[in-house]
Amino acid sequence: MDVNDVLGDYKPAPSIPTKSAIYAWGYNQCGQTGRKCKDFHLRIPKLLPPELFGCPGGVNSRWLDISCGREHTAAVASDGSLFTWGANDFGQLGDGTEEAIKHPQKVKLLETEFVKSVSCGAHCTTAIAEPRENDGTISSSRLWVWGQNQGSNYPRLYWGAFTPTTIVRQVSCGAVHVVALSEDGMLQAWGYNEYGQLGRGFTCEGLQVARVLNAYAKFLDEAPELVKIVKVSCGEYHTAAISEDGEVYTWGLGNLGQLGHCSLQYGDKELLPRRVVALNEIAIKDVACGGVHTCAVSVKGALYAWGGGQAGQLGLGPQTGFFSCVPNESNALLRNIPVLVVPEGVQLVACGHSHTLISTRDGRIHGWGYNSYGQAANEKSVYAWYPSPVDWCVGEVRKLAAGGGHTAVLTDACSLKELCEFRLADSVTPSNASMIEDVACKTGSDALARLCERLREHMLNGGDCNCEDEET
């Protein structure tokens, strides 16, 4: 029988997934992994079934985006719906309450919007969306904010220093500040500015209203110039951005080297966006900020990291000899200039508070850093000092998200083979793992084979993969 007879009219577009899956794992005290577990952590990546989101199991559910906050998670479905779950002590779930939710729930106040992307801060959430009914008079991508320092426990439309006609391209949240990027390359920032994380040239106490950043200093002795930004990322108290030329700018708190400069202009801070000259002539396509560290991916797929490495989040090992140290602090585990960690093959990077994850061109996920809850690597260790595999996820990795102590991955299936892998992964048990692994090896389904192998190893070591859920 010809394959077309089997598939019928099935012709998936290469870039549009026919189905996708969310895996979540790590610290789970507030239900941020989407499971009502009796344990406070889930060391094994767990696929969140469609039923959790109110979809029948047979529906080809797809996902557009996912983000992790300190103790909450948010995901965007292909129909533009936004789901949130986890901690809610500052109203970051957007339901108007301050009660934690351990299963995903739809943000009802955004049902009239088609959500495109979401970003979670420590205790707040922001989303970019467009009206489902638009007569052409409304900006096609506008910003919604809620949670700590955002003025409401419900999503509210927020322009800040942008005009109502501004198209918002991206938004990123830190511990107590937020930065939004417009389609024309302008940044606006608001929140707290005690460490200069808003990039205004000074520090100040109290909550600050939004202002547009317009001064970027390339060198200490050179006049500032206007730079078009194409990507931004907020760490706990620092910020990083990429220009259209592939240059990286950082500002805010730099006490542990997280800004990537040999020296700082204002003690332990940088008050204006300043170019990371150590990355000169290296075109950067992606940047991610963690609690006190920063990572960047070059156009050629190389990963660079800098900042605090006390928990192994730089991937350089526990030896102090691998790190450049500030004067008179020979025991400090930090790197104040970028260092090459992975030379090639990196596609995506995500930084949590103290851990890092990457996906590579061969479809694998690696993590390192603080691993007490299993959020960074497979092995049962408090710290994963070097890049270590995470072999429980099936599908093409489209998005990585890392939070305070948990991790989430969005994977897609765009081919019949990947759809079959999804189906088999859903049905893997300790009794049939060997048989499915054999089929996976013969068909070149590497991720599925690794999942089966990990399951068998886990069960041989006395592990229990079935978290006891309290289903509602």
Side-chain angles (χ1 to χ4, degrees), residues 117 128 141 162 166-171 180-185 228-231:
S117 64
I128 297 174
S141 294
F162 288 162
T166 301
I167 297 176
V168 181
R169 175 174 181 171
Q170 190 210 341
V171 61
L181 170 65
S182 71
E183 188 64 35
D184 57 2
K228 182 178 180 180
I229 298 299
V230 295
K231 183 74 180 288

Side-chain angles (χ1 to χ4, degrees), residues 177 179 197-198 232-235 237-241 249-252 259 289:
H177 76 294
V179 180
Q197 60 264 43
L198 299 187
V232 65
S233 177
C234 291
Y237 298 108
H238 72 291
T239 312
Y249 290 80
T250 59
W251 61 97
L259 300 184
C289 294

Side-chain angles (χ1 to χ4, degrees), residues 7 34 94 138 181 212 304 419 445:
L7 296 180
I138 304 175
L181 170 65
V212 172
Y304 297 85
L419 285 170
S445 301

Side-chain angles (χ1 to χ4, degrees), residues 9-19 396 398 413-415 418:
D9 294 330
Y10 175 82
K11 296 179 180 180
S15 61
I16 301 177
T18 58
K19 189 173 183 181
E396 181 181 348
R398 288 296 182 96
C414 299
S415 66
E418 290 166 340

Side-chain angles (χ1 to χ4, degrees), residues 174-193:
V176 289
H177 76 294
V178 184
V179 180
L181 170 65
S182 71
E183 188 64 35
D184 57 2
M186 296 297 291
L187 292 174
Q188 68 163 329
W190 66 95
Y192 283 88
N193 192 42

Side-chain angles (χ1 to χ4, degrees), residues 99-151:
E99 298 179 3
I101 302 294
K102 294 190 175 183
H103 274 184
Q105 66 173 5
K106 187 179 292 187
V107 180
K108 294 182 179 179
L109 260 70
L110 288 178
E111 288 184 328
T112 59
E113 299 283 316
F114 187 99
V115 179
K116 296 180 175 180
S117 64
V118 64
S119 176
C120 297
H123 306 294
C124 72
T125 309
T126 59
I128 297 174
E130 65 179 23
R132 292 185 184 272
E133 296 183 6
N134 192 351
D135 59 3
T137 62
I138 304 175
S139 169
S140 61
S141 294
R142 50 191 192 169
L143 184 62
W144 295 80
V145 302
W146 61 96
Q148 186 182 40
N149 302 327
Q150 305 309 314

